[in-house]
Amino acid sequence: MSKNAPAFASGNLAVITGGASGIGLALAKKSAGYGMTVIIVDNNSQNLAAAKTSIDGKVETIVMDVSKIEDYERLKYKIIKDFGGKINLLALNAGTGPRGSWSDAAYFNTIMSVNLFGVINGLTTLLPLVTSAATSSESNATSIIITGSKQGITNPPGNPAYNASKSAVKTLAEHLSFDLAKSSPSTSVHLLIPGWTFTGLSGNDPTGEKREKPAGAWSAEQVVDFLEEKMREKSFYVLCPDNEVSEETDRKRIAWAAQDLIQGRPPLTRWRDEYKAEAEEWMAKQKI
């Protein structure tokens, strides 16, 4: 069995936003399983209470709104005061996905405040605590996980604010990885790009009525296992398949979307009636 990624080590500190359900909760459980101390951040106190009782180990929960920089400042102060001021694993995972119309300013503001500024606020306040915990020794390497989305890459129609927020998160993560490669080379950055995952955003409420996972979806635990494998491989892009869509299919869809710009086609041709057949035929022929 391959050794675990360096950040997953007994005695280390993990800080996970959106950690009370879904992928965040699965990551919290994995971290605690390695003997790490885990700080779970979420805006849902009921889910946080349920999460804490479901995890064996050193777990602290904090009710927080990631869209508010002052909440992050309080979290930073607590980590410095109570946990030595060093973070070994930072997962900026909190997200929201409401739908709205082009005339609905609240829809855009809500999504951008959580999905985009929830990441920006986390980096501007907590990044120094991650890089200061890293040393030149691989055993003391630190990691930052930022949860993106395939919707931020292939940009399917239907939820423009969500797609835009995740596209921006991808850009931030790419720049962070580039910059830290020079300024803090022992801090790895990973853009987690889940496939269809049965989480709170997709109908799996941890404190609500239990529902059966759809056959085509992955569980949050499968996503986190795949993430850990890719972290061991030092991969930046963690492009997750699911039980319906393979990694190869995802790569073909990404390549087709890029060709819209390269060839001067209209945007989102994969979903336009006049291009659908051509897109399917092109992707069927590709070997990527």
Side-chain angles (χ1 to χ4, degrees), residues 234-251:
K234 305 183 186 303
S235 299
F236 170 79
Y237 297 104
V238 182
L239 185 62
C240 301
D242 53 49
N243 293 335
E244 288 188 350
V245 178
S246 67
E247 292 178 77
E248 183 182 21
T249 296
D250 277 325
R251 289 192 290 268

Side-chain angles (χ1 to χ4, degrees), residues 8 18 58 71 142 181 259:
F8 291 110
K58 301 175 183 177
D71 280 15
T142 59
Q259 290 295 317

Side-chain angles (χ1 to χ4, degrees), residues 15-19 21-25 27 90-96 114-116 118-119 123 144-153 162 165-173 176 189-195 197 199 201 223-224 227 236 238 240:
V15 177
I16 304 168
T17 70
S21 63
I23 292 169
L25 179 57
L27 181 59
L90 174 63
L92 299 172
N93 168 75
T96 188
V114 175
N115 293 1
L116 177 56
V119 172
L123 292 174
I144 300 170
I145 301 162
I146 299 176
T147 302
S149 171
K150 294 177 186 178
Q151 289 182 227
I153 302 172
Y162 182 84
S165 72
K166 291 300 185 178
S167 179
V169 163
K170 171 180 173 289
T171 297
L172 288 174
L176 181 67
V189 181
H190 309 275
L191 179 65
L192 175 59
I193 311 166
T197 310
T199 68
L201 286 180
V223 171
V224 169
L227 167 65
F236 170 79
V238 182
C240 301

Side-chain angles (χ1 to χ4, degrees), residues 5-8 87-91 123 127 130-131 134-135 138 140-146 173 176-178 180-181 183-191 227-228 230-238:
F8 291 110
I87 301 172
N88 305 94
L89 178 66
L90 174 63
L123 292 174
L127 180 58
V130 180
T131 56
T135 70
E138 183 175 335
N140 290 327
T142 59
S143 294
I144 300 170
I145 301 162
I146 299 176
L176 181 67
S177 176
F178 180 86
L180 291 185
S183 65
S184 184
S186 294
T187 301
S188 65
V189 181
H190 309 275
L191 179 65
L227 167 65
E228 183 184 12
K230 292 301 181 181
M231 289 175 69
R232 283 198 298 263
E233 297 172 2
K234 305 183 186 303
S235 299
F236 170 79
Y237 297 104
V238 182

Side-chain angles (χ1 to χ4, degrees), residues 31-215:
S31 300
Y34 279 116
M36 300 176 71
T37 298
V38 183
I39 298 176
I40 302 176
V41 172
D42 206 282
N43 68 345
N44 188 312
S45 59
Q46 185 178 6
N47 285 357
L48 277 171
K52 187 167 187 176
T53 60
S54 72
I55 300 175
D56 292 326
K58 301 175 183 177
V59 178
E60 181 142 353
T61 59
I62 297 176
V63 178
M64 197 181 101
D65 182 349
V66 297
S67 72
K68 295 180 178 179
I69 190 70
E70 57 268 28
D71 280 15
Y72 265 114
E73 292 289 359
R74 284 193 289 270
L75 173 62
K76 180 181 180 179
Y77 176 78
K78 182 175 182 60
I79 293 169
I80 292 171
K81 176 176 176 287
D82 297 342
F83 297 94
K86 295 184 184 297
I87 301 172
N88 305 94
L89 178 66
L90 174 63
L92 299 172
N93 168 75
T96 188
R99 292 179 179 270
S101 67
W102 288 105
S103 61
D104 185 356
Y107 152 68
F108 285 93
N109 286 330
T110 296
I111 288 182
M112 291 298 177
S113 294
V114 175
N115 293 1
L116 177 56
F117 279 91
V119 172
I120 293 172
N121 292 339
L123 292 174
T124 56
T125 55
L126 301 182
L127 180 58
L129 306 188
V130 180
T131 56
S132 66
T135 70
S136 58
S137 170
E138 183 175 335
S139 63
N140 290 327
T142 59
S143 294
I144 300 170
I145 301 162
I146 299 176
T147 302
S149 171
K150 294 177 186 178
Q151 289 182 227
I153 302 172
T154 58
N155 199 19
N159 200 340
Y162 182 84
N163 293 10
S165 72
K166 291 300 185 178
S167 179
V169 163
K170 171 180 173 289
T171 297
L172 288 174
E174 289 169 339
H175 278 267
L176 181 67
S177 176
F178 180 86
D179 290 346
L180 291 185
K182 297 179 180 179
S183 65
S184 184
S186 294
T187 301
S188 65
V189 181
H190 309 275
L191 179 65
L192 175 59
I193 311 166
W196 181 15
T197 310
F198 193 45
T199 68
L201 286 180
S202 62
N204 184 22
D205 183 349
T207 61
E209 180 182 352
K210 296 302 179 184
R211 298 171 58 185
E212 184 177 353
K213 181 185 75 65

